[in-house]
Amino acid sequence: MTTSPLMQINHLVKKFGDNVVLNDITETINQGDVIVVIGASGGGKSTFLRSLNRLNSVTSGQILFENTDLVGLSEKQLDKIREKMGMVFQNFNLFPNMTVLENLMLAPMKVKGETEAQAKETAKGLLDRVGLADKADVYPASLSGGQQQRVAIARALAMSPDVMLFDEPTSALDPEMVGEVLKVMQDLAKSGMTMVVVTHEMGFAREVADQVWFMDGGQIAEKGTPEQIFTNPQEARTKDFLSKILSQ
Amino acid sequence: MKKWVQAFGALLVTLIAFSGLIGLGHSVHAADDSLAKVKSRGVLVMGTSPDYAPYEFIINKDGKNEVVGMDVEVGKAIAKKMGVKLEIKQMDFDSLLVALQTGKVDMVLSAMTPTASRAKSVAFSNVYYKAKQYIIVNKNEKDLYKDKSSFAGKKLGVQTGSLQADIAKSQIPTSTQLGLAKVPDLILALKSHKVDGIVAEDPVASAYVQNDSSLAAIDGKFNLAGDDLGSAIGFPKGATSLVKVANETIAEIKQKNLFPTYLKTAGKDMAGNVQNTSMLHYWSYFAKGVGYTLLITLLAILIGIPIGTLFALMRLAKNKVVHLIAVSYIEFVRGTPLMIQIMFVYFGIGLLVDIPALVAGVIAVSLNSAAYVAEIIRGGIDSIPVGQTEAARSLGLSQRQTMQSVIFPQALKNIWPALGNEFISLIKESSIVSIIGVTDLIYQLKVVQTATYKGVQPIVVAMFLYFIMTFSLSKLLNHYERKMQHDN
Ligand SMILES: Nc1ncnc2c1ncn2[C@@H]1O[C@H](COP(=O)(O)OP(=O)(O)O)[C@@H](O)[C@H]1O
Ligand SMILES: [Mg+2]
């Protein structure tokens, strides 16, 4: 795969008061990469992800996205950047006061200024892609968790982002629904989307990830191909974490 | 009541003086240009509380409400002498002196007794009419009473802060008094035996006795001495040129012996009022009151929502100064009575810019409502999970777009019942604007009471009208609430 850096993170530090959550992280995310971030709960995975699109403030360091440093940008400037960075949340966060279709059409129309017809066409195409074409006009409350998360992915895709960030997208789902969401993510990865995925789904990581990053102590303690991390981890704490998670 | 209204007026003047705006308030004292001012304006503004027949009351003439009575005749004579037109501003008796001090009116002509304490803040004309003090009683008990001495140990109704209150207390020391603001309310108290008699001036007593066959009046034989007993015209302190013209006019009226004529005219007008005292006949009065009440409520909602939203957003803002401004506003407004706010806007702000009573009422009620709406909206916004904001922002929506398209519509649905309650209570609470003379339903209710000499019926009518308004609004709001629930 030919690679060029889409994001470059330099010496990223994030503190909540005295609590150093991200401790001097320097990493590169290349175009088309699928990176799975694993690590213990409370290890700073969400904070890391949310720093990438600056939903968090950061304490110091650089976050270069397509050669723009996001640290120090105003909220207004960040709005422009966030258009190009889709995010999917553990709790879906669909807008309950809008239909599925309206959820998908809101940002393209408000932010990109697309016409209603344009936005509708894109939205319908995306719903088809996630297998929910028949749910266009229902409200989110009537959907199952798996369906809601697929809508949330489609909603993010409606902005044609350059990168997609997933924060434990299947953690809130009943086990029987995890598969349908992972399937959509897998298809997305195949289409060449750059993805950063925080997840505990080791099967997904093994199959889909180009790289697995293990986060611990506010740093990327170890990284490598799924093969390297899962079959031949170098760090004791990586082994420790994996043995715990795989024994569950 | 009276006293704290005056105290409030004084406080206002002090406040405004402190804020460096003294120039405007003080110019009156510099040189007396009061008469010149009235002349150049071409209008003499008379403040009165038209619920005191035959001195001042309201009649319906060709479908329009008009203030008439003996005092109005005196006012007209003074205006004529100055060569200007007379304009009448109606308001609560308690508000009259504040209105005078704050320049809302040029003179107060409202059967006012020039007591020493009032004279401290007001320049009074000579006494233009000196009435005897009567006691109104129920006709079937008339034989029980001879004069004031018969009321030892009894209960007397008096108007709050009036001369009658003073003499009842000092000359019948063993009596107790019930003080109410309005004569019609006192009459009600008498008829329902809450009091045994009402101390009132003879013209007033005669008016009620003539128009209500169940009442009788007896001469109280009070000791009345001194010039401070009787009615005089109040002017702003230092307005000597106006007082002079008033005194000249009074002298002429007395010399021509015009008062009996005035009283006769007033009597005719009153008789006209009571020819038909069915509430139906007065429908236009109530309609006007309902109209104003709805107008004030509607405007207060329309103005209160955007301002309330603004304050809610300011209170939620990260900027400390902006946050503090909003918190102070909200807490201050919620911590002071609407009544004071209305008086502050009308009289206080009115010192700087002349605002009509209706506008002042709408401003005060709107700004008051905005504070409550702000808190309701803030609660609504707080109730929306933070994930909604994060999802919207991650899609590139700006803070403003997020608020408008995502948070606010959801918040509105949550707070709709609370907002509805606020609107319904606005219909009821807006009634306080009647103290500055806005002709809302409460005000009109009192007008009808005065005009018809009927106490209870207008209350019942007004009560039903209020209920119809609040009930309809509540139904309407429920309809929209159901509609919003459907969306989900
Ligand atoms: N808004 C916040 N304020 C203070 N501390 C926070 C906040 N968000 C996260 N943290 C702290 O940062 C640490 C990392 O949290 P998080 O990034 O959510 O971890 P993970 O996603 O790996 O479970 C935790 O100790 C958490 O308590
Ligand atoms: Mg997390």
Side-chain angles (χ1 to χ4, degrees):
Chain A
M1 196 182 281
T2 56
T3 52
S4 59
L6 179 71
M7 296 194 79
Q8 177 63 46
I9 299 126
N10 291 325
H11 304 293
L12 176 62
V13 175
K14 170 64 181 173
K15 299 179 188 172
F16 286 110
D18 290 337
N19 184 8
V20 183
V21 177
L22 304 178
N23 189 7
D24 196 13
I25 295 178
T26 297
E27 294 296 342
T28 308
I29 299 166
N30 285 319
Q31 187 82 50
D33 269 357
V34 176
I35 293 164
V36 166
V37 182
I38 58 173
S41 174
K45 303 181 299 297
S46 294
T47 307
F48 176 67
L49 210 60
R50 295 153 57 89
S51 297
L52 296 186
N53 70 350
R54 290 293 322 281
L55 277 185
N56 269 349
S57 64
V58 302
T59 308
S60 64
Q62 267 189 328
I63 300 168
L64 295 167
F65 174 73
E66 295 173 348
N67 299 318
T68 311
D69 185 3
L70 308 191
V71 179
L73 289 191
S74 70
E75 281 296 316
K76 242 205 178 104
Q77 293 166 315
L78 282 173
D79 288 338
K80 284 262 127 229
I81 301 289
R82 290 194 188 110
E83 282 184 54
K84 300 189 229 164
M85 307 175 89
M87 191 168 214
V88 175
F89 303 84
Q90 185 174 343
N91 294 315
F92 333 131
N93 295 342
L94 292 180
F95 306 133
N97 56 323
M98 303 177 199
T99 63
V100 166
L101 202 62
E102 286 165 353
N103 263 275
L104 267 64
M105 290 164 62
L106 178 72
M109 286 171 66
K110 290 269 171 198
V111 179
K112 285 191 165 171
E114 283 184 19
T115 64
E116 195 175 333
Q118 275 176 315
K120 199 174 219 162
E121 200 187 309
T122 320
K124 287 201 156 155
L126 285 168
L127 285 179
D128 201 30
R129 190 167 155 192
V130 300
L132 291 169
D134 57 329
K135 301 291 185 188
D137 295 319
V138 307
Y139 283 90
S142 65
L143 298 179
S144 72
Q147 291 172 327
Q148 288 197 46
Q149 195 60 300
R150 285 189 277 156
V151 172
I153 294 170
R155 179 176 67 178
L157 290 175
M159 292 298 284
S160 328
D162 295 341
V163 59
M164 287 281 284
L165 311 174
F166 294 84
D167 192 357
E168 304 201 26
T170 57
S171 297
L173 296 177
D174 292 337
E176 69 270 21
M177 293 173 183
V178 171
E180 61 191 63
V181 173
L182 292 180
K183 172 76 174 50
V184 167
M185 291 169 63
Q186 195 163 6
D187 290 347
L188 190 59
K190 269 190 203 143
S191 77
M193 175 64 73
T194 310
M195 295 162 66
V196 182
V197 184
V198 174
T199 187
H200 296 297
E201 295 295 333
M202 295 305 156
F204 176 82
R206 234 187 262 273
E207 251 176 79
V208 182
D210 297 311
Q211 285 185 52
V212 175
W213 294 358
F214 170 61
M215 242 187 122
D216 188 60
Q219 290 180 313
I220 308 300
E222 185 169 359
K223 64 175 176 176
T225 62
E227 183 73 16
Q228 287 166 343
I229 297 290
F230 292 124
T231 54
N232 191 17
Q234 301 299 305
E235 300 272 334
R237 42 188 176 165
T238 315
K239 284 178 197 159
D240 202 37
F241 172 74
L242 285 172
S243 68
K244 261 185 212 151
I245 211 147
L246 293 173
S247 67
Q248 272 173 10
Chain B
M1 167 87 179
K2 172 94 245 167
K3 275 198 191 102
W4 71 255
V5 171
Q6 276 174 345
F8 177 73
L11 179 75
L12 258 182
V13 173
T14 325
L15 257 177
I16 287 164
F18 268 124
S19 46
L21 300 161
I22 187 89
L24 281 148
H26 243 265
S27 58
V28 181
H29 294 276
D32 178 31
D33 55 355
S34 53
L35 180 60
K37 264 192 185 157
V38 169
K39 279 189 169 164
S40 77
R41 220 191 302 139
V43 174
L44 176 69
V45 184
M46 155 179 170
T48 193
S49 170
D51 48 22
Y52 203 60
Y55 286 88
E56 44 268 324
F57 54 103
I58 294 176
I59 57 163
N60 192 310
K61 211 172 191 176
D62 310 323
K64 282 185 98 178
N65 289 350
E66 195 181 324
V67 181
V68 295
M70 199 169 82
D71 282 347
V72 177
E73 298 303 321
V74 175
K76 277 184 192 158
I78 295 172
K80 194 173 167 199
K81 186 146 182 99
M82 291 177 182
V84 297
K85 275 211 245 155
L86 182 73
E87 182 190 318
I88 298 175
K89 265 197 186 153
Q90 319 171 22
M91 65 191 74
D92 244 36
F93 190 81
D94 286 329
S95 299
L96 284 171
L97 288 188
V98 191
L100 189 66
Q101 284 160 354
T102 54
K104 290 266 158 214
V105 299
D106 298 314
M107 63 176 183
V108 168
L109 236 172
S110 203
M112 187 175 273
T113 308
T115 59
S117 68
R118 280 179 187 151
K120 278 182 203 147
S121 52
V122 176
F124 277 111
S125 71
N126 296 336
V127 166
Y128 61 90
Y129 191 80
K130 213 166 181 175
K132 283 185 184 165
Q133 300 300 332
Y134 272 49
I135 299 174
I136 309 174
V137 295
N138 286 312
K139 199 177 210 163
N140 55 6
E141 295 174 351
K142 186 174 181 247
D143 298 336
L144 298 177
Y145 306 110
K146 195 162 70 10
D147 55 28
K148 65 176 179 187
S149 60
S150 324
F151 288 88
K154 302 266 180 191
K155 190 156 189 179
L156 283 166
V158 289
Q159 263 187 298
T160 326
S162 66
L163 164 76
Q164 290 77 23
D166 292 344
I167 58 174
K169 204 170 191 173
S170 61
Q171 298 190 28
I172 318 172
T174 54
S175 71
T176 52
Q177 289 94 33
L178 171 70
L180 292 176
K182 310 262 177 229
V183 177
D185 295 338
L186 289 171
I187 298 286
L188 271 183
L190 175 66
K191 288 185 165 185
S192 55
H193 300 277
K194 303 260 182 313
V195 295
D196 304 299
I198 301 166
V199 185
E201 309 184 21
D202 63 24
V204 176
S206 320
Y208 277 90
V209 170
Q210 268 168 34
N211 291 298
D212 189 330
S213 56
S214 71
L215 299 175
I218 54 171
D219 187 348
K221 306 230 173 76
F222 288 97
N223 305 321
L224 301 171
D227 229 16
D228 63 339
L229 302 178
S231 300
I233 310 168
F235 290 94
K237 266 270 189 248
T240 42
S241 52
L242 285 176
V243 175
K244 187 162 165 275
V245 181
N247 283 340
E248 286 165 13
T249 315
I250 291 167
E252 280 172 28
I253 293 174
K254 280 183 174 165
Q255 194 215 334
K256 293 184 192 156
N257 197 22
L258 289 175
F259 276 112
T261 327
Y262 290 170
L263 277 173
K264 217 168 170 182
T265 316
K268 263 192 217 143
D269 282 332
M270 281 191 297
N273 262 352
V274 291
Q275 260 169 14
N276 188 343
T277 60
S278 92
M279 289 300 116
L280 219 51
H281 184 69
Y282 284 87
W283 72 269
S284 66
Y285 285 61
F286 289 111
K288 183 180 180 187
V290 167
Y292 272 93
T293 292
L294 288 179
L295 177 72
I296 294 162
T297 306
L298 187 72
L299 289 174
I301 292 173
L302 292 180
I303 300 170
I305 288 181
I307 298 181
T309 309
L310 184 71
F311 276 115
L313 294 177
M314 284 171 70
R315 188 163 189 172
L316 290 166
K318 289 200 190 87
N319 185 314
K320 285 231 165 63
V321 179
V322 171
H323 170 82
L324 205 69
I325 291 173
V327 172
S328 317
Y329 177 84
I330 291 166
E331 294 307 327
F332 188 78
V333 168
R334 297 199 314 160
T336 48
L338 177 56
M339 188 186 205
I340 296 200
Q341 291 162 7
I342 287 173
M343 292 197 291
F344 179 78
V345 172
Y346 187 52
F347 298 121
I349 315 281
L351 266 184
L352 309 174
V353 266
D354 190 32
I355 24 180
L358 176 63
V359 177
V362 168
I363 290 175
V365 177
S366 304
L367 291 181
N368 177 278
S369 176
Y372 289 90
V373 169
E375 280 303 89
I376 294 172
I377 289 177
R378 182 177 72 108
I381 291 173
D382 274 345
S383 74
I384 306 304
V386 65
Q388 291 289 308
T389 305
E390 291 179 345
R393 297 306 300 275
S394 77
L395 287 165
L397 268 76
S398 67
Q399 201 171 354
R400 192 202 172 105
Q401 289 170 327
T402 300
M403 201 41 99
Q404 263 178 4
S405 307
V406 177
I407 306 302
F408 207 70
Q410 295 185 54
L412 187 63
K413 205 175 83 185
N414 289 353
I415 63 181
W416 192 251
L419 268 185
N421 278 342
E422 166 63 17
F423 299 156
I424 287 167
S425 71
L426 264 184
I427 291 186
K428 296 179 283 177
E429 279 166 21
S430 67
S431 61
I432 300 181
V433 296
S434 61
I435 57 164
I436 55 170
V438 179
T439 50
D440 79 326
L441 185 50
I442 289 284
Y443 191 93
Q444 294 297 88
L445 147 71
K446 289 181 176 158
V447 168
V448 176
Q449 280 182 319
T450 313
T452 58
Y453 298 90
K454 288 197 171 166
V456 180
Q457 286 178 16
I459 293 178
V460 173
V461 172
M463 195 162 76
F464 270 100
L465 289 174
Y466 270 115
F467 179 71
I468 289 168
M469 285 191 277
T470 55
F471 190 71
S472 314
L473 180 60
S474 147
K475 282 279 158 220
L476 190 74
L477 292 167
N478 280 344
H479 172 75
Y480 282 109
E481 188 177 346
R482 271 200 305 276
K483 230 173 144 171
M484 273 193 287
Q485 302 298 353
H486 259 297
D487 287 354
N488 219 322

